[in-house]
Amino acid sequence: MMQRTQPVQAWRWSVSPPGPHLTATVPVMEAIRGAAIFMRREMGNGLFPESFHGADRGGHAHAFWLPEDEDGDGLIDHIWVSCASGMDARTIAALASVEWFRAEGVRYEVAPSWMGPRPLDGIFGPSAVWQGVTPYVTSRRRLTKTGKERADETPEAQLLRELLLRGLPAPVEIGWEPAAWCGEDNVLASQFAINWDKRGGPPADAVASFPAIVFAEPVPGPLAFGHAAHFGLGLLVPQIGSACNSLHIS
C-alpha cells in the first residue's frame, strides 16, 4: 500500500539582507507575491489556482503571505506563505523560482529555507497566548451615519467574529495596545503601511491596534486577522519566543 505524502501547506524564504522594517509588511508581501505570480506566468502555468489565492471565505484556507522577524531586530528576515488547502506542484515551482523582490527602492535576495506541512513552532504555534506584531485593522464599518459605534462592529466584536469564522475557540481574554516593541523601537499602529497601490484600503472609520489574545488551551497558527490579513497585517505570534517584546493585556 502506497503511503500518502503530506501536503505542502507552508513555504519559507530567507531574506538577504534582512528586509525592510515590519512597518512595511504590506508592500513587502505584495512585492514577493507579485514576483511569484510573474514566475508562474513565465513558466507557462498561468494564474495561481483559486485554492491558493481565492477571495476571503469562511475558513480562510487560501494563502497568507506573512513576515517573520526571527532575531527580534524589527526587520523582516524571513517570509512565509501559508496555505491550509495545500500547494500544487506548479505553485511550489513558482515559489522556488523567486530569487529577489524590490521594496522601498531596495533589492532583496530571497532563498528557499523550508517547505512542508504546517510546522509546529515559530509563528505557527501552537500557543494559548498570542500577541500582535503587526496591527489589526478593522475591515467592516464600525460607525452609524450619525457617528455612533455599532455594538456589533467594535474592534473586539469584529475580531471575535473572525475567530468564529476560522473555527477557533472563543478566547478567555482580549487586550489591546496602541504600539508594539519591534527591535528597540516602540512602534505605533499608525506607523504601519495600511494602504497600497494595487488594492483598496479599509473602511474610512477603520481603527488599528495590536491585540493580545489568551485562549483556554493552545491553538495552532498562523493567526492573522482584519484588513489585509492575507498580506501580513493583524499577525499574532506566540508570546514565548515572539519577534517583538511582550504586550500587556489591559
Side-chain angles (χ1 to χ4, degrees):
M1 182 176 180
M2 293 183 62
Q3 185 176 6
R4 181 178 296 180
T5 58
Q6 292 182 298
V8 174
Q9 297 173 306
W11 175 276
R12 188 191 195 217
W13 287 286
S14 59
V15 182
S16 179
H21 196 270
L22 280 168
T23 52
T25 286
V26 169
V28 168
M29 298 306 112
E30 177 68 19
I32 192 91
R33 178 179 179 272
I37 290 173
F38 176 81
M39 292 309 303
R40 185 174 169 107
R41 287 176 171 169
E42 284 289 289
M43 298 169 75
N45 293 326
L47 296 173
F48 285 120
E50 178 72 10
S51 61
F52 191 75
H53 70 79
D56 284 349
R57 297 187 178 92
H60 290 250
H62 54 289
F64 285 80
W65 304 75
L66 303 172
E68 183 180 24
D69 174 18
E70 187 176 46
D71 59 9
D73 64 355
L75 301 178
I76 299 170
D77 47 41
H78 293 85
I79 295 173
W80 283 95
V81 185
S82 173
C83 184
S85 60
M87 307 178 195
D88 63 15
R90 293 179 180 180
T91 295
I92 295 168
L95 298 179
S97 298
V98 176
E99 297 180 346
W100 64 275
F101 68 91
R102 188 176 298 277
E104 300 184 321
V106 179
R107 173 172 165 144
Y108 295 92
E109 308 290 331
V110 294
S113 66
W114 196 91
M115 64 173 277
R118 182 169 62 186
L120 294 174
D121 58 11
I123 67 171
F124 290 80
S127 177
V129 182
W130 295 78
Q131 60 186 36
V133 291
T134 62
Y136 173 82
V137 181
T138 51
S139 59
R140 295 166 58 96
R141 285 198 168 275
R142 298 183 305 109
L143 306 179
T144 66
K145 292 181 179 179
T146 59
K148 292 184 63 176
E149 188 169 53
R150 304 175 191 271
D152 60 345
E153 295 296 355
T154 64
E156 185 160 324
Q158 292 193 32
L159 179 55
L160 285 170
R161 185 183 298 116
E162 289 193 68
L163 290 168
L164 178 64
L165 288 173
R166 305 279 185 90
L168 293 165
V172 174
E173 193 171 2
I174 297 177
W176 301 90
E177 291 286 342
W181 284 100
C182 295
E184 298 181 354
D185 301 319
N186 194 25
V187 180
L188 295 170
S190 60
Q191 293 176 255
F192 279 74
I194 303 299
N195 300 320
W196 68 108
D197 292 339
K198 296 183 180 180
R199 300 175 185 278
D205 61 6
V207 293
S209 56
F210 298 88
I213 304 178
V214 179
F215 295 97
E217 301 288 342
V219 300
L223 301 185
F225 305 99
H227 168 72
H230 289 273
F231 291 85
L233 287 187
L235 175 63
L236 297 98
V237 299
Q239 185 174 21
I240 298 175
S242 64
C244 296
N245 296 332
S246 296
L247 292 175
H248 299 289
I249 296 179
S250 58

